[in-house]
Amino acid sequence: MKKPRLAAIEYIRGVSMLGVVGIHVGAAYLGQHMTPEAVANPHIVALLEIFTRFSVPIFFFISAFGLFYNLDLSQPFVYKDFIKRRYKAVVVPYVVWSLFYIIHYCILWGDPGPLNPITILYDLFFGLANYQLYFMVLLIWFYLLMPLWVWLVKHLDIMKLALLLLFQIGINYVLCFLWNPYTVTNPILQKFLIHHLNYWVIHYVFIFLLGGYLAVHMDEFMRFMEKYRSQIVMAFWTTVGAHLGYYYYLLNVRGYTPLEGVATAHQLAPTGVIYTLGASIFFFTIFTVWQLPERCRPVLALLGKHSYFVYLAHPLALTYLGFLYDDLGILLTAPMTIIYYLLVVAAALLLAVGMRRLGEHYPIINKATIGVYPKK
């Protein structure tokens, strides 16, 4: 029997998309404030680059949740059928958007070099065609390893999840803060190691398996959220404070610049992993057991419905609105950066809605860009 639809999955996608856009707008802001004459406002950086850090890993959480929520673990897992569906939904859009960005930037900058077939294959493997596409590569690797995740979820319990959380914090700390891939002298191996964040699923294995485990045990998860909703909210804000506190500690005690602080207090730092856990449970709780104002639901549904396209296309809005800012001589001060963020979201969302409607008349558009096929 088909399970009831969970609006929370769609709503979290929308919220996560807003966070991803914030991270990239924050990067543009930092790009203009890296000199003694233009010092970055640490608080706007905290808002755009630190507070939003749950947004990438939480995508893995809801991806796994959606997969396992509709998966009957008592039945044999048909890997071939699963891969066929994921190929249409993820691999095709990934390749289409990667080729689009490669060609787009070759034309924009007048440099045909990236059109070299070896370079294209290199960019496709590591997700380097554009800065947001590495997530797609990680997701594809998660899909390819799905039989392993099915087996693990079947054998997970709360104690094993707790141990896995400790393992996640430890392995991320080692790989991100202690290990230096540049010490490897073999140039080919070095390339594979330098880009490990783009395809090593080990960096996000806990949050992915947590999503799968909670989906399989949805009834218990619902009772937990209903019973401890207040504590979940308190825990979330505690993790927010811890992650922001780590960032401000780096700036005010260790003397880091905002850019250095962002490069250290990211989602794979210990506080970032805990923050992701707190955010995942928090957002699922408020979108499931809390009574949201009715006026919020259409907005969340709209953001969730078009989050995939906005995620894939928002760099275009960032680029061309950035050109407009430059032509008008507008500097990215804190207020103008917030306006820039809102304009990027609005422009990418309008493009998403327009392309989705156009795809209803020309289905190949939706098939190629977001992996959506007409219902039979």
Side-chain angles (χ1 to χ4, degrees):
M1 185 174 66
K2 188 175 182 180
K3 295 180 180 179
R5 176 180 170 274
L6 289 175
I9 295 176
E10 187 174 80
Y11 294 170
I12 294 174
R13 284 197 187 102
V15 172
S16 303
M17 173 271 293
L18 294 176
V20 169
V21 177
I23 290 171
H24 296 149
V25 169
Y29 172 78
L30 282 168
Q32 283 194 6
H33 296 80
M34 296 175 61
T35 64
E37 295 78 23
V39 179
N41 181 322
H43 309 303
I44 195 69
V45 174
L47 175 64
L48 294 173
E49 291 280 350
I50 306 300
F51 181 75
T52 56
R53 279 295 156 173
F54 68 89
S55 54
V56 171
I58 205 174
F59 265 125
F60 294 115
F61 173 82
I62 57 175
S63 295
F65 200 103
L67 290 175
F68 281 90
Y69 182 69
N70 295 301
L71 189 65
D72 186 354
L73 293 184
S74 65
Q75 300 296 321
F77 177 68
V78 184
Y79 185 61
K80 180 181 178 181
D81 292 345
F82 171 81
I83 290 296
K84 183 178 179 181
R85 292 192 300 270
R86 296 300 96 193
Y87 175 81
K88 292 180 179 179
V90 176
V91 177
V92 171
Y94 168 67
V95 173
V96 168
W97 280 98
S98 294
L99 294 177
F100 167 79
Y101 278 112
I102 290 171
I103 296 170
H104 168 262
Y105 288 122
C106 284
I107 296 172
L108 183 64
W109 307 121
D111 179 14
L115 293 177
N116 180 291
I118 300 299
T119 303
I120 290 175
L121 290 175
Y122 177 81
D123 289 344
L124 285 174
F125 184 85
F126 291 114
L128 301 176
N130 209 42
Y131 48 78
Q132 89 283 25
L133 293 176
Y134 77 95
F135 166 82
M136 303 284 283
V137 176
L138 281 165
L139 199 57
I140 290 169
W141 278 106
F142 269 114
Y143 291 156
L144 290 173
L145 296 170
M146 190 63 180
L148 173 61
W149 313 134
V150 171
W151 182 86
L152 287 171
V153 168
K154 285 181 178 180
H155 294 83
L156 277 177
D157 55 35
I158 296 298
M159 182 58 67
K160 291 175 182 176
L161 275 171
L163 293 174
L164 183 60
L165 173 59
L166 295 177
F167 168 79
Q168 187 72 86
I169 292 171
I171 195 67
N172 282 354
Y173 188 81
V174 170
L175 293 177
C176 296
F177 295 98
L178 302 180
W179 176 62
N180 183 5
Y182 289 95
T183 59
V184 177
T185 57
N186 184 292
I188 297 177
L189 180 59
Q190 188 185 74
K191 293 292 184 183
F192 277 86
L193 297 179
I194 288 172
H195 298 300
H196 66 96
L197 293 174
N198 292 34
Y199 69 103
W200 283 10
V201 296
I202 196 170
H203 290 293
Y204 298 99
V205 68
F206 166 75
I207 200 65
F208 186 86
L209 289 177
L210 175 67
Y213 176 83
L214 294 178
V216 170
H217 299 86
M218 186 61 194
D219 292 339
E220 295 94 323
F221 186 34
M222 283 293 297
R223 288 193 292 269
F224 173 81
M225 290 187 290
E226 290 168 354
K227 183 177 181 180
Y228 297 106
R229 63 176 71 184
S230 298
Q231 292 89 332
I232 289 170
V233 173
M234 291 176 60
F236 168 71
W237 288 112
T238 300
T239 63
V240 172
H243 196 47
L244 287 171
Y246 179 48
Y247 164 76
Y248 282 111
Y249 162 78
L250 292 172
L251 267 60
N252 297 318
V253 178
R254 300 290 297 276
Y256 283 34
T257 65
L259 179 61
E260 291 170 335
V262 168
T264 305
H266 48 66
Q267 68 265 24
L268 300 181
T271 55
V273 175
I274 300 298
Y275 178 33
T276 297
L277 171 60
S280 300
I281 305 300
F282 169 75
F283 283 115
F284 219 101
T285 300
I286 64 170
F287 292 147
T288 305
V289 302
W290 285 68
Q291 294 296 320
L292 293 175
E294 284 301 320
R295 69 184 67 180
C296 294
R297 296 184 184 276
V299 176
L300 290 168
L302 178 70
L303 293 174
K305 179 180 180 179
H306 298 290
S307 60
Y308 195 14
F309 190 99
V310 172
Y311 157 76
L312 290 165
H314 75 272
L316 293 173
L318 274 164
T319 297
Y320 288 100
L321 284 170
F323 289 162
L324 179 62
Y325 263 50
D326 290 342
D327 291 342
L328 296 176
I330 300 174
L331 297 177
L332 287 178
T333 60
M336 294 310 300
T337 300
I338 298 300
I339 294 173
Y340 182 42
Y341 169 80
L342 295 174
L343 289 174
V344 168
V345 172
L349 190 58
L350 285 172
L351 181 60
V353 172
M355 292 296 287
R356 186 68 171 262
R357 291 180 178 176
L358 188 63
E360 293 172 359
H361 299 284
Y362 304 97
I364 192 173
I365 293 175
N366 287 338
K367 292 178 183 179
T369 58
I370 53 175
V372 171
Y373 287 68
K375 294 182 178 179
K376 296 181 180 179

